[in-house]
């Protein structure tokens, strides 16, 4: 589905990173392969949160640098295929997202669906698997970096989300609790615990597949998107997260 001059399906930043932390960013990009013609969406729609997690890649990249951690990022929009959804999920290749119909995702044939899985989803997850396998005896603590919309259009006016940052996990709480304890020292912050989302088997494939199934310490970190506007905002959030990880 990709020409040789198009963006890579995934990128591995700082592959020699020495940190115990391994960073993943499923919704880093809003790119669409040329062959899919912007999925039939407008540039504005493709710039919106339905296509990616605005700001998340910048937070993840800043964290990779501050922690000296390896980071794996998906290179394409979640509307091409959502690398954080289980293959059985109806939202894997979303026909509608937050009330917006995605023209190129209507009534896909089995072949079209399989092409997207084979081209984007499988190589991304194989890359994460390979990086974890290579670490062998090293400790790996997985941090999954996302950003969330201040409110969802389809949830109506009362859906404003008060949390500046949200943390969640499945099973192993240690890393989430460490982050939570560190971040709560800043009294200005409203911190979500299992907010805005709980880790879910259908919607959080990456954490389930690569951390929970392997028994790795992990946390999902979601920063609210309006917190990530401006050049320095992502770096500031990365600093806060690193301070929380290092507090004791
Ligand atoms: Zn996300």
């Amino acid at each position: 589905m990709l020409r040789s001059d198009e963006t890579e399906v995934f990128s591995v930043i700082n592959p020699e990173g020495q940190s115990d932390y391994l960073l993943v960013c499923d919704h880093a990009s809003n790119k669409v392969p040329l062959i899919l013609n912007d999925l039939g969406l407008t540039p504005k729609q493709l710039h919106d949160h339905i296509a990616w997690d605005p700001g998340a890649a910048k937070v993840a990249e800043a964290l990779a640098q501050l922690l000296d951690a390896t980071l794996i990022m998906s290179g394409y929009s979640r509307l091409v295929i959502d690398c954080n959804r289980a293959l059985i999920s109806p939202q894997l290749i979303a026909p509608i997202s937050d009330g917006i119909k995605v023209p190129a995702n209507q009534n896909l044939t089995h072949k079209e669906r399989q092409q997207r899985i084979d081209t984007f989803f499988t190589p991304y997850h194989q890359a994460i698997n390979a990086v974890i396998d290579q670490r062998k005896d090293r400790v790996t603590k997985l941090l999954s970096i996302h950003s969330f919309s201040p409110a969802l259009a389809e949830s109506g006016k009362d859906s404003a989300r008060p949390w500046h940052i949200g943390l969640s996990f499945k099973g192993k709480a240690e890393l989430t609790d460490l982050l939570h304890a560190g971040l709560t020292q800043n009294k200005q912050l409203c911190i979500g615990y299992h907010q805005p989302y709980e880790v879910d088997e259908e919607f959080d494939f990456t954490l389930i597949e690569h951390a929970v199934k392997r028994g790795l310490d992990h946390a999902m970190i979601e920063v609210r998107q309006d917190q990530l506007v401006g050049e320095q905002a992502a770096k500031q959030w990365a600093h806060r997260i690193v301070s929380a990880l290092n507090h004791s």
Side-chain angles (χ1 to χ4, degrees):
M1 292 185 72
L2 293 171
R3 293 191 337 202
S4 59
D5 59 346
E6 287 191 79
T7 300
E8 301 280 354
V9 169
F10 61 85
S11 51
V12 182
I13 312 291
N14 196 15
E16 307 298 330
Q18 293 300 303
S19 173
D20 290 349
Y21 295 106
L22 175 65
L23 302 159
V24 289
C25 193
D26 301 325
H27 302 144
S29 172
N30 62 348
K31 279 213 161 47
V32 174
L34 291 170
I35 197 170
L36 292 180
N37 291 318
D38 289 345
L39 299 163
L41 295 170
T42 65
K44 186 173 179 297
Q45 288 168 329
L46 275 182
H47 202 71
D48 194 18
H49 73 97
I50 60 169
W52 61 330
D53 285 1
K58 286 187 174 168
V59 175
E61 285 167 332
L63 282 171
Q65 195 177 28
L66 289 171
L67 293 166
D68 188 24
T70 300
L71 160 65
I72 305 156
M73 296 200 288
S74 171
Y76 284 87
S77 170
R78 65 191 299 176
L79 293 179
V80 174
I81 188 164
D82 192 330
C83 289
N84 198 30
R85 298 287 178 262
L87 288 173
I88 53 153
S89 172
Q91 289 299 308
L92 180 72
I93 301 172
I96 297 175
S97 181
D98 200 14
I100 306 291
K101 186 176 172 184
V102 184
N105 291 355
Q106 307 300 313
N107 306 312
L108 292 194
T109 64
H110 176 78
K111 189 178 165 203
E112 287 169 328
R113 178 187 140 88
Q114 195 60 44
Q115 269 186 332
R116 294 212 206 168
I117 294 170
D118 294 346
T119 308
F120 302 100
F121 185 96
T122 302
Y124 175 67
H125 288 293
Q126 281 176 342
I128 299 174
N129 260 324
V131 168
I132 299 174
D133 284 346
Q134 276 166 15
R135 294 165 74 95
K136 291 186 183 126
D137 299 329
R138 277 176 65 184
V139 173
T140 295
K141 300 175 179 182
L142 195 74
L143 295 177
S144 178
I145 309 300
H146 294 266
S147 69
F148 67 95
S149 175
L152 291 179
E154 66 183 9
S155 306
K157 282 190 183 129
D158 298 328
S159 68
R161 292 155 152 181
W163 318 282
H164 299 112
I165 184 169
L167 307 169
S168 45
F169 64 93
K170 182 100 178 171
K172 285 189 155 204
E174 288 86 344
L175 201 47
T176 302
D177 287 348
L178 175 73
L179 278 163
H180 189 259
L183 288 165
T184 48
Q185 294 188 351
N186 182 341
K187 301 296 176 208
Q188 313 292 321
L189 294 180
C190 177
I191 302 153
Y193 194 86
H194 285 316
Q195 298 284 1
Y197 306 104
E198 281 193 58
V199 173
D200 177 281
E201 303 243 339
E202 179 183 335
F203 293 106
D204 298 295
F205 178 80
T206 299
L207 264 193
I208 300 286
E209 182 69 13
H210 300 293
V212 178
K213 285 189 182 171
R214 286 179 184 256
L216 302 182
D217 278 337
H218 64 271
M220 184 156 74
I221 300 175
E222 302 240 9
V223 182
R224 204 174 68 198
Q225 284 154 15
D226 61 352
Q227 294 288 304
L228 296 174
V229 178
E231 261 321 291
Q232 292 305 314
K235 283 185 184 157
Q236 190 180 30
W237 273 101
H239 274 286
R240 282 183 184 142
I241 292 164
V242 171
S243 298
L245 289 170
N246 290 334
H247 103 286
S248 55

